[in-house]
Amino acid sequence: MEDFYFEGNPLSLLLLTLMSFWLPHNVTWADLKNTDEATFPQAEDLYVACPLAFCIFMIRLVFERFIARPCALGLKIQANGPQKAQPNAILEKVFTAITKHPDEKRLEGLSKQLDWDVRTIQRWFRQRRNQEKPSTLARFCESMWRFTFYLYIFTYGVRFLKKTTWLWNTRECWYNYPYQPLTVDIHYYYILELSFYLSLLFSQFTDIRRKDFLIMFLHHLATITLITFSYVNNMARVGTLVMCLHDAADVLMEVAKMANYAKCQRLCNLLFVMFAMVFISSRLGVYPVWILNTTLFESWEIVGPYPSWWVFNLLLILLQFLHSFWSYLIVKIACRAISRGKVSKDDRSDIESSSDEDNGPPPIQKHYNSTTNGTNKAHGTNGYLSAGAPCPDEH
């Protein structure tokens, strides 16, 4: 085996490069192999997260069907979604095969073809787009599931971390690094968080489609990468701090959405204020002062930088930019709420509100015939969190 690592061996050089990327200088993977005396994080430990993510998704379906749905019905939340557009074969063909957002030229052509008013056709397309959105009951069930998980994992994290030394002194995250043994509590915490965010990543394609889909997708990817990175590198101590810090605001976010769907406006407003205070103070205050300070400066002083250290901190800084973006949305909503006297619609609203023109008298169509669309007002949104809070799921 010693002959294998002779100078100039390409495979040997590759292995040495990989080891020098992931671990601090003069540390190899062999040094972190499990022994009878100590257990260290192993990359293969994370394989179980994929089937567990599927199990979590199935548990979610059962939870929403047999727990969240009865709760929603008990709160008088209706299962019906936005108002459906009147059936029309020509417009349906355009909607499904050509475009869901016809331009002015196409609208004028359809107006002549159907002998309909342009505003009526615009309203039909708006109602048809909204028709594909989930009902308020479905939104409530999704939020109740996330609230339940976040509450459980945050409670677990607090109870576990208050017994650790690194919660009170972040320098403990780096003393004797990377030879810090893996405990059962850390392993469970990591696997459950990773599995949950994997389930969120995949279910994002089946859940409520929001305007910030790509931002949330990037957020989930960054979160999963950070969890994996910190576990494989045995940066699990600081990783537990990051996860617990993020879960704090997510609990309030989901319960505020539930209050909104139940039309408890005062409770929603109160919870939104609490959420905004916790989110901004934790993500723009505690996170950079507490987390970034220890990963950037304390770790530099105690351990020193190495290639994967730069990548890890780059991902943490990327997360900070996302925090700033969502904080901007929260402040924007808060300012709007102050001017209107209540928390208003989320900028990421899933249901398209009617235009101002729809608030007036219905447009007069050129002719009335059997294919004429109704002039009912499109279903609007009510409350700030009708589409979810500015921050998912999320971290």
Side-chain angles (χ1 to χ4, degrees), residues 321-366:
F321 280 113
L322 293 177
H323 294 165
S324 301
F325 170 74
W326 284 312
S327 296
Y328 160 75
L329 291 183
I330 293 173
V331 172
K332 185 178 179 181
I333 293 167
C335 292
R336 187 186 304 158
I338 293 174
S339 63
R340 297 183 179 181
K342 72 172 185 176
V343 179
S344 60
K345 182 182 67 175
D346 184 358
D347 285 337
R348 305 184 312 152
S349 178
D350 300 298
I351 306 296
E352 298 176 58
S353 300
S354 302
S355 64
D356 293 337
E357 293 177 350
D358 290 342
N359 294 329
I364 300 176
Q365 300 172 7
K366 296 178 181 178

mmCIF file of all heavy atoms in Angstrom, residues 321-366:
data_model
loop_
_atom_site.group_PDB
_atom_site.id
_atom_site.type_symbol
_atom_site.label_atom_id
_atom_site.label_comp_id
_atom_site.label_asym_id
_atom_site.label_seq_id
_atom_site.Cartn_x
_atom_site.Cartn_y
_atom_site.Cartn_z
ATOM 1 N N PHE A 321 -27.466 36.740 2.061
ATOM 2 C CA PHE A 321 -28.081 37.556 1.012
ATOM 3 C C PHE A 321 -29.563 37.219 0.858
ATOM 4 O O PHE A 321 -30.396 38.113 0.665
ATOM 5 C CB PHE A 321 -27.352 37.353 -0.320
ATOM 6 C CG PHE A 321 -26.077 38.134 -0.437
ATOM 7 C CD1 PHE A 321 -24.849 37.491 -0.482
ATOM 8 C CD2 PHE A 321 -26.092 39.525 -0.495
ATOM 9 C CE1 PHE A 321 -23.668 38.216 -0.581
ATOM 10 C CE2 PHE A 321 -24.918 40.259 -0.593
ATOM 11 C CZ PHE A 321 -23.702 39.595 -0.632
ATOM 12 N N LEU A 322 -29.900 35.940 0.945
ATOM 13 C CA LEU A 322 -31.307 35.551 0.881
ATOM 14 C C LEU A 322 -32.071 36.101 2.084
ATOM 15 O O LEU A 322 -33.213 36.547 1.950
ATOM 16 C CB LEU A 322 -31.420 34.028 0.833
ATOM 17 C CG LEU A 322 -30.895 33.353 -0.435
ATOM 18 C CD1 LEU A 322 -30.990 31.838 -0.314
ATOM 19 C CD2 LEU A 322 -31.666 33.822 -1.661
ATOM 20 N N HIS A 323 -31.437 36.079 3.254
ATOM 21 C CA HIS A 323 -32.072 36.672 4.431
ATOM 22 C C HIS A 323 -32.378 38.153 4.196
ATOM 23 O O HIS A 323 -33.452 38.644 4.563
ATOM 24 C CB HIS A 323 -31.134 36.562 5.640
ATOM 25 C CG HIS A 323 -30.890 35.161 6.088
ATOM 26 N ND1 HIS A 323 -29.865 34.828 6.940
ATOM 27 C CD2 HIS A 323 -31.550 34.012 5.803
ATOM 28 C CE1 HIS A 323 -29.897 33.528 7.160
ATOM 29 N NE2 HIS A 323 -30.908 33.006 6.485
ATOM 30 N N SER A 324 -31.455 38.850 3.593
ATOM 31 C CA SER A 324 -31.639 40.282 3.335
ATOM 32 C C SER A 324 -32.792 40.512 2.364
ATOM 33 O O SER A 324 -33.590 41.439 2.538
ATOM 34 C CB SER A 324 -30.346 40.886 2.789
ATOM 35 O OG SER A 324 -29.277 40.705 3.695
ATOM 36 N N PHE A 325 -32.884 39.672 1.343
ATOM 37 C CA PHE A 325 -33.958 39.804 0.359
ATOM 38 C C PHE A 325 -35.322 39.608 1.012
ATOM 39 O O PHE A 325 -36.246 40.396 0.823
ATOM 40 C CB PHE A 325 -33.756 38.787 -0.771
ATOM 41 C CG PHE A 325 -34.922 38.674 -1.711
ATOM 42 C CD1 PHE A 325 -35.184 39.670 -2.639
ATOM 43 C CD2 PHE A 325 -35.772 37.572 -1.664
ATOM 44 C CE1 PHE A 325 -36.268 39.573 -3.505
ATOM 45 C CE2 PHE A 325 -36.851 37.467 -2.521
ATOM 46 C CZ PHE A 325 -37.092 38.471 -3.443
ATOM 47 N N TRP A 326 -35.456 38.548 1.811
ATOM 48 C CA TRP A 326 -36.734 38.291 2.463
ATOM 49 C C TRP A 326 -37.051 39.342 3.527
ATOM 50 O O TRP A 326 -38.216 39.674 3.729
ATOM 51 C CB TRP A 326 -36.745 36.888 3.062
ATOM 52 C CG TRP A 326 -36.937 35.829 2.020
ATOM 53 C CD1 TRP A 326 -37.872 35.810 1.031
ATOM 54 C CD2 TRP A 326 -36.155 34.656 1.837
ATOM 55 N NE1 TRP A 326 -37.725 34.691 0.239
ATOM 56 C CE2 TRP A 326 -36.678 33.964 0.719
ATOM 57 C CE3 TRP A 326 -35.068 34.097 2.508
ATOM 58 C CZ2 TRP A 326 -36.151 32.756 0.279
ATOM 59 C CZ3 TRP A 326 -34.549 32.903 2.060
ATOM 60 C CH2 TRP A 326 -35.088 32.239 0.957
ATOM 61 N N SER A 327 -36.042 39.847 4.192
ATOM 62 C CA SER A 327 -36.275 40.912 5.171
ATOM 63 C C SER A 327 -36.813 42.159 4.488
ATOM 64 O O SER A 327 -37.679 42.857 5.025
ATOM 65 C CB SER A 327 -34.976 41.243 5.916
ATOM 66 O OG SER A 327 -34.531 40.134 6.673
ATOM 67 N N TYR A 328 -36.310 42.432 3.290
ATOM 68 C CA TYR A 328 -36.815 43.564 2.504
ATOM 69 C C TYR A 328 -38.303 43.373 2.198
ATOM 70 O O TYR A 328 -39.104 44.313 2.324
ATOM 71 C CB TYR A 328 -36.017 43.688 1.210
ATOM 72 C CG TYR A 328 -36.717 44.486 0.134
ATOM 73 C CD1 TYR A 328 -36.805 45.876 0.208
ATOM 74 C CD2 TYR A 328 -37.313 43.841 -0.961
ATOM 75 C CE1 TYR A 328 -37.462 46.597 -0.772
ATOM 76 C CE2 TYR A 328 -37.965 44.555 -1.937
ATOM 77 C CZ TYR A 328 -38.041 45.936 -1.847
ATOM 78 O OH TYR A 328 -38.700 46.641 -2.814
ATOM 79 N N LEU A 329 -38.695 42.162 1.828
ATOM 80 C CA LEU A 329 -40.108 41.899 1.549
ATOM 81 C C LEU A 329 -40.956 42.075 2.808
ATOM 82 O O LEU A 329 -42.065 42.618 2.748
ATOM 83 C CB LEU A 329 -40.279 40.476 1.002
ATOM 84 C CG LEU A 329 -39.719 40.188 -0.390
ATOM 85 C CD1 LEU A 329 -40.038 38.750 -0.786
ATOM 86 C CD2 LEU A 329 -40.288 41.152 -1.421
ATOM 87 N N ILE A 330 -40.440 41.617 3.935
ATOM 88 C CA ILE A 330 -41.185 41.741 5.188
ATOM 89 C C ILE A 330 -41.386 43.200 5.560
ATOM 90 O O ILE A 330 -42.485 43.624 5.936
ATOM 91 C CB ILE A 330 -40.458 40.989 6.317
ATOM 92 C CG1 ILE A 330 -40.497 39.483 6.049
ATOM 93 C CG2 ILE A 330 -41.096 41.291 7.667
ATOM 94 C CD1 ILE A 330 -39.665 38.673 7.031
ATOM 95 N N VAL A 331 -40.327 43.993 5.459
ATOM 96 C CA VAL A 331 -40.422 45.424 5.781
ATOM 97 C C VAL A 331 -41.388 46.109 4.822
ATOM 98 O O VAL A 331 -42.183 46.976 5.228
ATOM 99 C CB VAL A 331 -39.027 46.082 5.718
ATOM 100 C CG1 VAL A 331 -39.137 47.594 5.848
ATOM 101 C CG2 VAL A 331 -38.130 45.522 6.818
ATOM 102 N N LYS A 332 -41.344 45.725 3.565
ATOM 103 C CA LYS A 332 -42.248 46.304 2.563
ATOM 104 C C LYS A 332 -43.701 46.012 2.912
ATOM 105 O O LYS A 332 -44.576 46.892 2.832
ATOM 106 C CB LYS A 332 -41.899 45.729 1.190
ATOM 107 C CG LYS A 332 -42.683 46.331 0.036
ATOM 108 C CD LYS A 332 -42.224 45.729 -1.284
ATOM 109 C CE LYS A 332 -43.010 46.305 -2.457
ATOM 110 N NZ LYS A 332 -42.576 45.695 -3.753
ATOM 111 N N ILE A 333 -43.970 44.771 3.331
ATOM 112 C CA ILE A 333 -45.329 44.401 3.729
ATOM 113 C C ILE A 333 -45.738 45.140 4.987
ATOM 114 O O ILE A 333 -46.880 45.595 5.128
ATOM 115 C CB ILE A 333 -45.417 42.877 3.937
ATOM 116 C CG1 ILE A 333 -45.240 42.155 2.592
ATOM 117 C CG2 ILE A 333 -46.740 42.478 4.572
ATOM 118 C CD1 ILE A 333 -45.007 40.672 2.728
ATOM 119 N N ALA A 334 -44.797 45.278 5.931
ATOM 120 C CA ALA A 334 -45.105 45.975 7.182
ATOM 121 C C ALA A 334 -45.450 47.437 6.927
ATOM 122 O O ALA A 334 -46.402 47.973 7.517
ATOM 123 C CB ALA A 334 -43.916 45.865 8.134
ATOM 124 N N CYS A 335 -44.695 48.093 6.054
ATOM 125 C CA CYS A 335 -44.988 49.498 5.728
ATOM 126 C C CYS A 335 -46.351 49.633 5.075
ATOM 127 O O CYS A 335 -47.107 50.564 5.369
ATOM 128 C CB CYS A 335 -43.897 50.051 4.811
ATOM 129 S SG CYS A 335 -42.278 50.215 5.589
ATOM 130 N N ARG A 336 -46.672 48.703 4.211
ATOM 131 C CA ARG A 336 -47.979 48.721 3.552
ATOM 132 C C ARG A 336 -49.083 48.482 4.576
ATOM 133 O O ARG A 336 -50.168 49.079 4.504
ATOM 134 C CB ARG A 336 -48.027 47.655 2.460
ATOM 135 C CG ARG A 336 -49.281 47.698 1.601
ATOM 136 C CD ARG A 336 -49.311 46.518 0.657
ATOM 137 N NE ARG A 336 -48.107 46.469 -0.153
ATOM 138 C CZ ARG A 336 -47.661 45.365 -0.746
ATOM 139 N NH1 ARG A 336 -48.292 44.226 -0.555
ATOM 140 N NH2 ARG A 336 -46.586 45.396 -1.492
ATOM 141 N N ALA A 337 -48.815 47.591 5.545
ATOM 142 C CA ALA A 337 -49.813 47.291 6.572
ATOM 143 C C ALA A 337 -50.098 48.505 7.434
ATOM 144 O O ALA A 337 -51.241 48.763 7.811
ATOM 145 C CB ALA A 337 -49.324 46.125 7.434
ATOM 146 N N ILE A 338 -49.049 49.281 7.764
ATOM 147 C CA ILE A 338 -49.231 50.479 8.583
ATOM 148 C C ILE A 338 -50.112 51.492 7.867
ATOM 149 O O ILE A 338 -50.987 52.131 8.462
ATOM 150 C CB ILE A 338 -47.868 51.098 8.925
ATOM 151 C CG1 ILE A 338 -47.080 50.151 9.844
ATOM 152 C CG2 ILE A 338 -48.041 52.463 9.596
ATOM 153 C CD1 ILE A 338 -45.660 50.606 10.108
ATOM 154 N N SER A 339 -49.911 51.626 6.562
ATOM 155 C CA SER A 339 -50.687 52.603 5.793
ATOM 156 C C SER A 339 -52.134 52.170 5.589
ATOM 157 O O SER A 339 -53.020 52.995 5.458
ATOM 158 C CB SER A 339 -50.015 52.853 4.435
ATOM 159 O OG SER A 339 -49.997 51.659 3.666
ATOM 160 N N ARG A 340 -52.364 50.837 5.566
ATOM 161 C CA ARG A 340 -53.717 50.334 5.310
ATOM 162 C C ARG A 340 -54.457 49.915 6.571
ATOM 163 O O ARG A 340 -55.649 49.637 6.529
ATOM 164 C CB ARG A 340 -53.659 49.150 4.344
ATOM 165 C CG ARG A 340 -53.119 49.522 2.972
ATOM 166 C CD ARG A 340 -53.155 48.338 2.040
ATOM 167 N NE ARG A 340 -52.651 48.676 0.711
ATOM 168 C CZ ARG A 340 -52.586 47.833 -0.295
ATOM 169 N NH1 ARG A 340 -52.979 46.585 -0.136
ATOM 170 N NH2 ARG A 340 -52.114 48.216 -1.468
ATOM 171 N N GLY A 341 -53.719 49.807 7.669
ATOM 172 C CA GLY A 341 -54.367 49.444 8.923
ATOM 173 C C GLY A 341 -54.447 47.963 9.182
ATOM 174 O O GLY A 341 -54.941 47.523 10.208
ATOM 175 N N LYS A 342 -53.961 47.132 8.238
ATOM 176 C CA LYS A 342 -53.916 45.691 8.468
ATOM 177 C C LYS A 342 -52.872 45.088 7.550
ATOM 178 O O LYS A 342 -52.451 45.680 6.565
ATOM 179 C CB LYS A 342 -55.271 45.033 8.212
ATOM 180 C CG LYS A 342 -55.670 44.959 6.736
ATOM 181 C CD LYS A 342 -56.925 44.107 6.565
ATOM 182 C CE LYS A 342 -57.270 43.923 5.082
ATOM 183 N NZ LYS A 342 -58.419 43.035 4.907
ATOM 184 N N VAL A 343 -52.468 43.883 7.892
ATOM 185 C CA VAL A 343 -51.468 43.197 7.086
ATOM 186 C C VAL A 343 -52.065 42.907 5.731
ATOM 187 O O VAL A 343 -53.160 42.362 5.617
ATOM 188 C CB VAL A 343 -51.036 41.880 7.773
ATOM 189 C CG1 VAL A 343 -50.015 41.158 6.922
ATOM 190 C CG2 VAL A 343 -50.444 42.199 9.131
ATOM 191 N N SER A 344 -51.338 43.268 4.673
ATOM 192 C CA SER A 344 -51.870 43.154 3.317
ATOM 193 C C SER A 344 -51.348 41.929 2.611
ATOM 194 O O SER A 344 -50.650 41.110 3.166
ATOM 195 C CB SER A 344 -51.491 44.402 2.521
ATOM 196 O OG SER A 344 -50.094 44.538 2.460
ATOM 197 N N LYS A 345 -51.661 41.841 1.365
ATOM 198 C CA LYS A 345 -51.310 40.683 0.547
ATOM 199 C C LYS A 345 -49.811 40.533 0.385
ATOM 200 O O LYS A 345 -49.093 41.502 0.241
ATOM 201 C CB LYS A 345 -51.962 40.848 -0.831
ATOM 202 C CG LYS A 345 -51.705 39.681 -1.770
ATOM 203 C CD LYS A 345 -52.337 39.929 -3.109
ATOM 204 C CE LYS A 345 -51.687 41.063 -3.862
ATOM 205 N NZ LYS A 345 -52.214 41.242 -5.202
ATOM 206 N N ASP A 346 -49.352 39.307 0.395
ATOM 207 C CA ASP A 346 -47.953 38.995 0.170
ATOM 208 C C ASP A 346 -47.584 39.298 -1.266
ATOM 209 O O ASP A 346 -48.354 39.051 -2.181
ATOM 210 C CB ASP A 346 -47.731 37.502 0.466
ATOM 211 C CG ASP A 346 -46.291 37.072 0.356
ATOM 212 O OD1 ASP A 346 -45.457 37.925 0.009
ATOM 213 O OD2 ASP A 346 -46.011 35.893 0.612
ATOM 214 N N ASP A 347 -46.370 39.834 -1.471
ATOM 215 C CA ASP A 347 -45.921 40.126 -2.825
ATOM 216 C C ASP A 347 -45.787 38.864 -3.670
ATOM 217 O O ASP A 347 -45.696 38.947 -4.888
ATOM 218 C CB ASP A 347 -44.567 40.848 -2.792
ATOM 219 C CG ASP A 347 -44.708 42.288 -2.373
ATOM 220 O OD1 ASP A 347 -45.813 42.832 -2.537
ATOM 221 O OD2 ASP A 347 -43.713 42.859 -1.888
ATOM 222 N N ARG A 348 -45.768 37.698 -3.030
ATOM 223 C CA ARG A 348 -45.634 36.462 -3.777
ATOM 224 C C ARG A 348 -46.985 35.800 -3.984
ATOM 225 O O ARG A 348 -47.071 34.608 -4.232
ATOM 226 C CB ARG A 348 -44.727 35.482 -3.017
ATOM 227 C CG ARG A 348 -43.389 36.039 -2.667
ATOM 228 C CD ARG A 348 -42.554 34.976 -2.019
ATOM 229 N NE ARG A 348 -43.297 34.293 -0.978
ATOM 230 C CZ ARG A 348 -43.059 33.040 -0.619
ATOM 231 N NH1 ARG A 348 -42.124 32.356 -1.215
ATOM 232 N NH2 ARG A 348 -43.749 32.477 0.347
ATOM 233 N N SER A 349 -48.070 36.547 -3.877
ATOM 234 C CA SER A 349 -49.415 35.984 -3.919
ATOM 235 C C SER A 349 -49.610 35.050 -5.089
ATOM 236 O O SER A 349 -49.234 35.333 -6.215
ATOM 237 C CB SER A 349 -50.443 37.113 -3.987
ATOM 238 O OG SER A 349 -51.732 36.587 -4.076
ATOM 239 N N ASP A 350 -50.266 33.918 -4.813
ATOM 240 C CA ASP A 350 -50.480 32.919 -5.850
ATOM 241 C C ASP A 350 -51.729 33.197 -6.664
ATOM 242 O O ASP A 350 -51.805 32.850 -7.838
ATOM 243 C CB ASP A 350 -50.626 31.537 -5.201
ATOM 244 C CG ASP A 350 -49.388 31.175 -4.423
ATOM 245 O OD1 ASP A 350 -48.329 31.068 -5.034
ATOM 246 O OD2 ASP A 350 -49.503 31.027 -3.208
ATOM 247 N N ILE A 351 -52.725 33.788 -6.022
ATOM 248 C CA ILE A 351 -53.977 34.082 -6.708
ATOM 249 C C ILE A 351 -53.926 35.487 -7.259
ATOM 250 O O ILE A 351 -53.638 36.432 -6.548
ATOM 251 C CB ILE A 351 -55.178 33.946 -5.759
ATOM 252 C CG1 ILE A 351 -55.167 32.565 -5.113
ATOM 253 C CG2 ILE A 351 -56.474 34.186 -6.482
ATOM 254 C CD1 ILE A 351 -55.343 31.431 -6.072
ATOM 255 N N GLU A 352 -54.210 35.628 -8.541
ATOM 256 C CA GLU A 352 -54.156 36.940 -9.171
ATOM 257 C C GLU A 352 -55.400 37.734 -8.801
ATOM 258 O O GLU A 352 -56.518 37.283 -9.012
ATOM 259 C CB GLU A 352 -54.085 36.788 -10.692
ATOM 260 C CG GLU A 352 -52.848 36.047 -11.164
ATOM 261 C CD GLU A 352 -52.894 35.864 -12.662
ATOM 262 O OE1 GLU A 352 -52.974 36.883 -13.380
ATOM 263 O OE2 GLU A 352 -52.850 34.723 -13.119
ATOM 264 N N SER A 353 -55.207 38.900 -8.247
ATOM 265 C CA SER A 353 -56.333 39.750 -7.912
ATOM 266 C C SER A 353 -56.898 40.381 -9.172
ATOM 267 O O SER A 353 -56.206 40.557 -10.166
ATOM 268 C CB SER A 353 -55.884 40.849 -6.938
ATOM 269 O OG SER A 353 -55.384 40.288 -5.754
ATOM 270 N N SER A 354 -58.150 40.760 -9.116
ATOM 271 C CA SER A 354 -58.757 41.454 -10.237
ATOM 272 C C SER A 354 -58.143 42.823 -10.384
ATOM 273 O O SER A 354 -57.688 43.436 -9.434
ATOM 274 C CB SER A 354 -60.266 41.583 -10.010
ATOM 275 O OG SER A 354 -60.853 40.316 -9.845
ATOM 276 N N SER A 355 -58.140 43.321 -11.565
ATOM 277 C CA SER A 355 -57.622 44.665 -11.798
ATOM 278 C C SER A 355 -58.612 45.676 -11.267
ATOM 279 O O SER A 355 -59.748 45.372 -10.929
ATOM 280 C CB SER A 355 -57.403 44.876 -13.301
ATOM 281 O OG SER A 355 -58.637 44.809 -13.976
ATOM 282 N N ASP A 356 -58.180 46.917 -11.197
ATOM 283 C CA ASP A 356 -59.059 47.966 -10.697
ATOM 284 C C ASP A 356 -60.297 48.109 -11.564
ATOM 285 O O ASP A 356 -61.362 48.485 -11.104
ATOM 286 C CB ASP A 356 -58.309 49.305 -10.642
ATOM 287 C CG ASP A 356 -57.208 49.269 -9.605
ATOM 288 O OD1 ASP A 356 -57.305 48.447 -8.672
ATOM 289 O OD2 ASP A 356 -56.254 50.068 -9.728
ATOM 290 N N GLU A 357 -60.139 47.796 -12.824
ATOM 291 C CA GLU A 357 -61.275 47.940 -13.725
ATOM 292 C C GLU A 357 -62.395 46.977 -13.368
ATOM 293 O O GLU A 357 -63.557 47.235 -13.586
ATOM 294 C CB GLU A 357 -60.820 47.689 -15.170
ATOM 295 C CG GLU A 357 -59.872 48.757 -15.693
ATOM 296 C CD GLU A 357 -59.399 48.438 -17.097
ATOM 297 O OE1 GLU A 357 -59.653 47.313 -17.552
ATOM 298 O OE2 GLU A 357 -58.804 49.308 -17.728
ATOM 299 N N ASP A 358 -61.998 45.815 -12.783
ATOM 300 C CA ASP A 358 -63.007 44.832 -12.452
ATOM 301 C C ASP A 358 -63.863 45.255 -11.276
ATOM 302 O O ASP A 358 -64.901 44.657 -11.014
ATOM 303 C CB ASP A 358 -62.331 43.491 -12.099
ATOM 304 C CG ASP A 358 -61.706 42.850 -13.322
ATOM 305 O OD1 ASP A 358 -62.090 43.264 -14.425
ATOM 306 O OD2 ASP A 358 -60.854 41.956 -13.175
ATOM 307 N N ASN A 359 -63.438 46.301 -10.558
ATOM 308 C CA ASN A 359 -64.209 46.745 -9.414
ATOM 309 C C ASN A 359 -65.420 47.573 -9.830
ATOM 310 O O ASN A 359 -66.321 47.809 -9.052
ATOM 311 C CB ASN A 359 -63.328 47.575 -8.469
ATOM 312 C CG ASN A 359 -62.233 46.729 -7.845
ATOM 313 O OD1 ASN A 359 -62.430 45.550 -7.637
ATOM 314 N ND2 ASN A 359 -61.098 47.342 -7.562
ATOM 315 N N GLY A 360 -65.402 48.021 -11.040
ATOM 316 C CA GLY A 360 -66.515 48.808 -11.527
ATOM 317 C C GLY A 360 -67.577 47.931 -12.147
ATOM 318 O O GLY A 360 -67.589 46.719 -12.004
ATOM 319 N N PRO A 361 -68.487 48.528 -12.895
ATOM 320 C CA PRO A 361 -69.552 47.751 -13.517
ATOM 321 C C PRO A 361 -68.978 46.766 -14.519
ATOM 322 O O PRO A 361 -67.960 47.019 -15.141
ATOM 323 C CB PRO A 361 -70.401 48.836 -14.229
ATOM 324 C CG PRO A 361 -70.025 50.114 -13.537
ATOM 325 C CD PRO A 361 -68.624 49.974 -13.128
ATOM 326 N N PRO A 362 -69.606 45.615 -14.695
ATOM 327 C CA PRO A 362 -69.128 44.623 -15.649
ATOM 328 C C PRO A 362 -69.116 45.193 -17.053
ATOM 329 O O PRO A 362 -69.977 45.988 -17.424
ATOM 330 C CB PRO A 362 -70.158 43.490 -15.522
ATOM 331 C CG PRO A 362 -70.808 43.711 -14.196
ATOM 332 C CD PRO A 362 -70.797 45.179 -13.978
ATOM 333 N N PRO A 363 -68.127 44.816 -17.852
ATOM 334 C CA PRO A 363 -68.058 45.322 -19.215
ATOM 335 C C PRO A 363 -69.210 44.804 -20.052
ATOM 336 O O PRO A 363 -69.670 43.672 -19.871
ATOM 337 C CB PRO A 363 -66.719 44.773 -19.721
ATOM 338 C CG PRO A 363 -66.469 43.565 -18.890
ATOM 339 C CD PRO A 363 -67.051 43.866 -17.561
ATOM 340 N N ILE A 364 -69.669 45.643 -20.949
ATOM 341 C CA ILE A 364 -70.765 45.252 -21.825
ATOM 342 C C ILE A 364 -70.198 44.546 -23.040
ATOM 343 O O ILE A 364 -69.331 45.063 -23.740
ATOM 344 C CB ILE A 364 -71.569 46.490 -22.278
ATOM 345 C CG1 ILE A 364 -72.151 47.185 -21.039
ATOM 346 C CG2 ILE A 364 -72.662 46.099 -23.250
ATOM 347 C CD1 ILE A 364 -72.881 48.471 -21.381
ATOM 348 N N GLN A 365 -70.647 43.314 -23.282
ATOM 349 C CA GLN A 365 -70.163 42.564 -24.422
ATOM 350 C C GLN A 365 -70.870 43.052 -25.674
ATOM 351 O O GLN A 365 -71.957 43.603 -25.632
ATOM 352 C CB GLN A 365 -70.424 41.076 -24.196
ATOM 353 C CG GLN A 365 -69.716 40.567 -22.945
ATOM 354 C CD GLN A 365 -70.145 39.161 -22.626
ATOM 355 O OE1 GLN A 365 -70.857 38.551 -23.401
ATOM 356 N NE2 GLN A 365 -69.718 38.666 -21.488
ATOM 357 N N LYS A 366 -70.218 42.776 -26.787
ATOM 358 C CA LYS A 366 -70.779 43.269 -28.043
ATOM 359 C C LYS A 366 -72.113 42.595 -28.347
ATOM 360 O O LYS A 366 -73.039 43.213 -28.811
ATOM 361 C CB LYS A 366 -69.791 43.001 -29.171
ATOM 362 C CG LYS A 366 -68.477 43.779 -28.985
ATOM 363 C CD LYS A 366 -67.500 43.443 -30.096
ATOM 364 C CE LYS A 366 -66.182 44.184 -29.920
ATOM 365 N NZ LYS A 366 -65.201 43.844 -30.951
#
